[in-house]
Amino acid sequence: MAGRRDIAGTFVGKHLWFSDADLRSIVQRGSQPARGDRTTGHETRDPHLRRGVA
């Protein structure tokens, strides 16, 4: 993904480096709200979400 420039990173020669800010950006971009009900342990049924697609 970094090679396609889809996520932040810096090329130094042929090596790819990630700064702390790059890593925070990647984590924030990939974070998703939790699914499921903690009281019952069952997954929340959302008709707009299909298995494997979020």
Side-chain angles (χ1 to χ4, degrees):
M1 290 176 71
R4 294 188 315 261
R5 306 291 198 264
D6 290 340
I7 59 174
T10 302
F11 282 95
V12 178
K14 63 179 180 178
H15 301 283
L16 182 59
W17 292 81
F18 298 96
S19 69
D20 290 340
D22 293 338
L23 294 174
R24 281 191 294 275
S25 171
I26 293 166
V27 169
Q28 183 179 17
R29 180 178 169 188
S31 66
Q32 299 177 12
R35 294 183 6 183
D37 183 347
R38 294 183 75 181
T39 60
T40 63
H42 294 105
E43 185 174 315
T44 303
R45 302 288 180 208
D46 186 340
H48 298 99
L49 295 177
R50 290 179 288 151
R51 178 176 236 167
V53 178

